[in-house]
Amino acid sequence: MAAAGSGHENWSSRSAFILAAVGSAVGLGNMWRFPAEAGENGGGAFVLFYIFCVLLIGLPVLLSEVLIGRHGQANAPESVRRVARDSNAPEGWSVLASMGVFAAFLILSFYCVVGGWVVYYIGVFANDLVQTGLAGGAFEGRAPDDIEGLLPGLFGNGGLMVGLNLGFLVVTMFFVARGVSSGIEWVAVYLMPLFFLLFLAITIYGAFTGNFSDAVSYLFTFDFSKLTGEVMLAAVGQAFFSLSLGVAGMMTYGAYANRDTNLGETSGIIASADTGVALLAGLAIFPIVFAAGLSASAGPGLMFQSLPIAFQAMPFGSLIGLAFFVMVFFAALTSSVSLLEAPTAYVFEKFNISRSVATVIVGAGAAVLGVLSALSFNDLAGFYPLSFIPIFAETNFFDTLDGVTAKLFMPIGAILTCIFVGWIADAKLIDSENGLDGLLHKTWRALVRYVCPIVLTVILYVGLFG
Ligand code: PHE
């Protein structure tokens, strides 16, 4: 449905918007990054601080972003410019969204690398299912070291890594090139319900077969001494990453929302769904990890190495493993689509070219960076691009992009968004968009004006220099 005279598309319904936004939020961030970050940052302290960040920072920022997009009805920088113009404020504020568009592009490049690993594991489990049949566990007769070795084995094969990465990127490009209603909305409307179905089944299965109580106490026991500046910054970064914030993605999706959508309510649904999935993913993965006697701090290896070992001991292991990675693939695709859409919408509106051409231009750029990320696990393993910054000292290209976007771009983008919405933009304009009233409205406004910018600045400072 195009708005009069503009060629601008909209979601076909409110639920399509919600599914697309939840699809953007729920992804590798929940299934892969959240358990890894929680395990590396000490469990309970991280998790509780994460929940605090989602409620007091993520949710208000999410509403601010969709609101800017909906008012602007354009790509993210242009939307900010329009809000600024309608508020008689300097249009230069659009730089906050330009930074975001660039960050989305950076994230897209390494996100598709991990998407490629997911595809690889789909292949591994599908093959295993064919080889060993339905009944037994996965990888019958193979030693745990051998299963763990699948990931380093993949890492060692630069050509395969690059191929899988580009394959995942091309699928993402295909859907973005098709446009808002027949591409982006289509994936969300079909894949997200399937995702939730598989997710529910696997979580219930995990709860019955795994070591559930250890996982609960690991994830929810709060040890204050573990809450360092670095852990706090990691938790904020994870909250932003998971909610797709600070990188113009939610502004871009907000721009396709209709005027009668209540944004306050919708933001609440998106944040609850995303956080629910992250916590349940933790509760699904850690019991399995503990039951198999594996380490919680395995980091990025948790989903790709520990879990497959655990699938070995499970009845129907190959099938469960296959279902699991297919499910992660669906979640990852709906997220990568939103990561590509933010820069693509900017490029095609700004330069007045077709959507397909813009998709190819942005995709080609992401392919170049993606190859560098894919090779940082093998040929470029010793390349530390930001080694002069202490927290990135021994960080390869892939981890540097991940760290810089989640720990710098996202918090800085969010601080600027809060200042813009809370202090610069016309209060009446904001009030007419946010769909909140009474106490909720006052609370949101106080959070955006005071709490978020101050808390974020402190966490950023302590996390980087403390
Ligand atoms: N939120 C997505 C995930 O959790 C990643 C993402 C980040 C998507 C930023 C869009 C923008 O996987």
Side-chain angles (χ1 to χ4, degrees):
M1 187 172 73
S6 71
H8 177 81
E9 281 190 277
N10 284 100
W11 307 114
S12 61
S13 65
R14 188 181 89 112
S15 47
F17 171 41
I18 293 178
L19 280 172
V22 169
S24 167
V26 172
L28 293 169
N30 308 57
M31 315 300 302
W32 167 71
R33 203 174 184 281
F34 175 77
E37 290 280 316
E40 283 177 328
N41 289 292
F46 174 91
V47 172
L48 291 183
F49 193 72
Y50 171 81
I51 296 173
F52 167 88
C53 292
V54 168
L55 287 175
L56 291 187
I57 301 173
L59 188 52
V61 173
L62 173 60
L63 175 53
S64 305
E65 289 200 12
V66 284
L67 178 161
I68 291 175
R70 211 252 312 260
H71 185 83
Q73 294 287 305
N75 67 79
E78 180 58 25
S79 287
V80 175
R81 194 170 296 124
R82 289 180 185 175
V83 173
R85 194 181 308 141
D86 293 344
S87 308
N88 289 322
E91 294 183 15
W93 277 95
S94 64
V95 68
L96 74 91
S98 312
M99 269 173 47
V101 165
F102 181 62
F105 166 73
L106 295 181
I107 297 175
L108 172 72
S109 72
F110 73 82
Y111 203 87
C112 290
V113 173
V114 186
W117 307 350
V118 174
V119 173
Y120 176 73
Y121 275 81
I122 291 179
V124 166
F125 278 98
N127 179 48
D128 194 60
L129 189 62
V130 173
Q131 303 287 323
T132 58
L134 197 62
F139 311 117
E140 242 158 44
R142 283 172 76 173
D145 280 356
D146 203 17
I147 303 172
E148 219 171 351
L150 285 167
L151 192 65
L154 170 62
F155 287 177
N157 188 341
L160 184 59
M161 286 273 280
V162 170
L164 290 165
N165 163 28
L166 296 182
F168 192 88
L169 179 62
V170 167
V171 175
T172 305
M173 288 165 63
F174 172 78
F175 288 107
V176 170
R178 290 181 59 94
V180 175
S181 41
S182 40
I184 302 173
E185 191 175 304
W186 191 91
V187 255
V189 167
Y190 287 100
L191 299 190
M192 284 319 282
L194 275 176
F195 165 83
F196 277 105
L197 211 70
L198 286 170
F199 186 66
L200 203 71
I202 290 174
T203 311
I204 294 173
Y205 183 85
F208 282 112
T209 45
N211 194 343
F212 200 62
S213 61
D214 275 7
V216 172
S217 70
Y218 178 72
L219 287 176
F220 297 105
T221 309
F222 187 70
D223 177 355
F224 194 71
S225 67
K226 286 190 180 155
L227 199 60
T228 62
E230 218 172 303
V231 169
M232 288 197 276
L233 183 56
V236 170
Q238 174 59 26
F240 285 139
F241 189 91
S242 193
L243 291 167
S244 308
L245 297 179
V247 298
M250 286 297 182
M251 283 183 200
T252 309
Y253 274 16
Y256 309 135
N258 295 313
R259 291 237 53 90
D260 49 7
T261 303
N262 181 325
L263 296 183
E265 203 182 282
T266 315
S267 303
I269 298 175
I270 300 167
S272 317
D274 184 64
T275 309
V277 172
L279 295 178
L280 280 176
L283 286 175
I285 288 181
F286 285 110
I288 299 176
V289 168
F290 288 139
L294 303 165
S295 158
S297 57
L302 218 44
M303 187 177 99
F304 290 105
Q305 292 175 296
S306 308
L307 216 48
I309 294 181
F311 289 139
Q312 187 177 38
M314 285 185 176
F316 307 110
S318 327
L319 183 67
I320 301 283
L322 179 62
F324 179 86
F325 283 100
V326 166
M327 163 191 100
V328 174
F329 175 78
F330 290 165
L333 186 62
T334 51
S335 299
S336 63
V337 158
S338 74
L339 284 164
L340 177 57
E341 174 63 9
T344 299
Y346 172 72
V347 168
F348 83 75
E349 288 181 9
K350 166 106 183 163
F351 301 105
N352 215 352
I353 53 178
S354 77
R355 174 179 271 278
S356 316
V357 173
T359 309
V360 172
I361 293 173
V362 177
V368 173
L369 290 186
V371 168
L372 292 177
S373 280
L375 295 182
S376 51
F377 294 89
N378 36 67
D379 299 343
L380 296 178
F383 173 49
Y384 303 144
L386 294 185
S387 54
F388 54 91
I389 301 175
I391 62 168
F392 300 122
E394 289 190 5
T395 312
N396 65 24
F397 190 80
F398 174 97
D399 289 327
T400 301
L401 283 189
D402 177 296
V404 166
T405 46
K407 292 177 179 159
L408 290 175
F409 274 97
M410 289 180 156
I412 293 172
I415 292 173
L416 293 176
T417 304
C418 289
I419 297 176
F420 180 69
V421 167
W423 298 92
I424 308 293
D426 178 43
K428 278 208 204 67
L429 180 160
I430 298 295
D431 295 355
S432 70
E433 293 279 358
N434 70 10
L436 301 175
D437 41 36
L439 187 60
L440 221 48
H441 176 77
K442 286 210 181 82
T443 311
W444 175 73
R445 196 130 180 96
L447 289 173
V448 170
R449 282 165 74 93
Y450 304 101
V451 178
C452 299
I454 295 172
V455 172
L456 278 175
T457 309
V458 171
I459 294 177
L460 195 59
Y461 183 82
V462 178
L464 290 179
F465 309 110

